[in-house]
Amino acid sequence: MRKHIVAGNWKMNTTVPEGVELAKAVVAKSVEVPSDVELIIGTPFTHLYPVNEVVAGTRVALSAENCADHAKGAYTGEISVDMLTSVGCQYTILGHSERRQYYGETDEKLVEKTKLALAAGLKVILCVGENLEEREANKHFDVCKAQTVNVLKNFTAEDMKNVVIAYEPVWAIGTGKTATAEQAQEIHAFIRKTLADLFGAEVADQVSILYGGSCKPSNAKELFACPDIDGGLIGGAALKADDFIGIALSF
Ligand code: PGA
C-alpha cells in the first residue's frame, strides 16, 4: 500500500511567530486525521528551528522548501542539508516550479541537491509539472517525463524509498484553477509508468505521487479518489490549519 501524504508548502508566507502559531494549530487538529495519512509542513528556513520545537514528537513531520547544491563552504546565503537535519527536518521539497522559474533551478542542480539530501537522511519531495504554454501545446507528458527522468535516472530503486513526487501543473498553482481529476489522474498514471520504466513496476507502485495546484478541502476528495493520486502538496490552503486538515480528511 502506498503512503497517503498531505504536505504543506508555506512558501514565503508568515512571520516566525505566525508560523509557530500555525504549526501549533495544525498539531492540535492533527488528531482528527486517520493515522495512515502522513502530515508534513514545509516552512521557510527561518521557521524550521522553532516550528520543530512544536512538531517534534507529534505526527507532523517537518520539511524545508529547498536546500543547497553543495555540502558546505563558501556559498553565501545558502542552507545545507546538514543544517536542515540539525534542526529536525525530515524532508525537503526540491524543484518547485517557482524555484525553476524564478531562481534558475535546473535538473542538473536538482540531481546534486537530491544526492546530498538523500545522503544526509532527508526525504525528498521532487516537484514536476508543465506550464500553461506547454499544456496548450500538448507537451505536458514530455515535460513531466523529462523532469522526472533527468533527475531520477541518477538514483536507485533503494533511493526511491525516500523520494515522493509532486505533480504540480504551473497553471494551477495559486491561480484557483485546479486540474480536473481526469487531467491529474492521467498524468499521475503517466509519471508512474515513467517510474516503472526506470525502476520496474514494483518500485513505481510504492512511490507516492502528490497533486499540487489550488488543492483545497472542496476539491481534494475528488482528486484523492483517483487511483494514482496519493495526496497533495498544498500551498495557499496550508496557511489555514482548518483547510489543511480539511484536505487531510479527504481520503
Ligand atoms: P497552491 O500551491 O496550493 O497555492 O496552488 C501549491 C504549490 O505550489 O505547492
Side-chain angles (χ1 to χ4, degrees):
M1 220 3 223
R2 283 191 293 274
K3 231 194 279 173
H4 286 161
I5 298 173
V6 174
N9 173 15
W10 292 1
K11 308 192 180 186
M12 196 174 74
N13 291 299
T14 74
T15 62
V16 170
E18 287 165 354
V20 166
E21 286 314 303
L22 177 54
K24 282 182 183 164
V26 169
V27 167
K29 288 177 197 297
S30 65
V31 294
E32 297 166 25
V33 179
S35 58
D36 61 339
V37 180
E38 183 167 2
L39 297 172
I40 304 168
I41 51 181
T43 84
F45 291 135
T46 45
H47 299 40
L48 292 170
Y49 185 89
V51 167
N52 183 53
E53 306 267 282
V54 176
V55 301
T58 76
R59 59 174 295 182
V60 179
L62 185 63
S63 179
E65 300 175 8
N66 185 26
C67 71
D69 56 346
H70 295 278
K72 64 185 286 193
Y75 301 100
T76 302
E78 290 294 306
I79 303 289
S80 74
V81 290
D82 287 347
M83 295 175 189
L84 296 180
T85 56
S86 76
V87 291
C89 261
Q90 291 130 285
Y91 282 88
T92 185
I93 298 168
L94 288 178
H96 191 279
S97 63
E98 287 149 17
R99 298 222 52 90
R100 293 179 189 261
Q101 197 178 340
Y102 308 138
Y103 301 100
E105 189 91 288
T106 59
D107 289 337
E108 292 70 38
K109 273 191 196 165
L110 289 170
V111 173
E112 294 314 309
K113 291 182 179 195
T114 304
K115 279 185 185 164
L116 288 163
L118 294 178
L122 286 168
K123 294 179 186 170
V124 169
I125 302 173
L126 178 67
C127 304
V128 301
E130 80 285 356
N131 63 31
L132 184 59
E133 204 182 14
E134 292 159 343
R135 163 73 56 170
E136 285 175 345
N138 213 27
K139 288 188 184 149
H140 45 296
F141 293 108
D142 291 345
V143 169
C144 291
K145 182 174 183 171
Q147 289 176 342
T148 304
V149 172
N150 288 347
V151 177
L152 295 181
K153 69 178 180 200
N154 300 286
F155 295 90
T156 64
E158 190 62 23
D159 291 328
M160 290 308 293
K161 289 182 181 158
N162 294 312
V163 175
V164 173
I165 310 253
Y167 166 64
E168 300 204 305
V170 179
W171 48 272
I173 294 177
T175 57
K177 237 197 228 178
T178 322
T180 64
E182 292 72 31
Q183 284 172 322
Q185 165 56 28
E186 183 183 40
I187 202 119
H188 278 235
F190 174 78
I191 292 168
R192 197 173 307 286
K193 163 81 172 58
T194 303
L195 295 175
D197 292 342
L198 281 173
F199 303 107
E202 208 174 305
V203 173
D205 211 39
Q206 294 302 314
V207 178
S208 298
I209 306 179
L210 314 183
Y211 169 79
S214 300
C215 186
K216 38 190 183 269
S218 58
N219 59 26
K221 218 177 188 71
E222 200 188 347
L223 288 159
F224 294 175
C226 298
D228 286 289
I229 301 181
D230 307 307
L233 180 56
I234 317 300
L239 297 171
K240 289 200 181 113
D242 281 338
D243 287 352
F244 183 65
I245 295 298
I247 291 169
L249 289 169
S250 302
F251 286 103

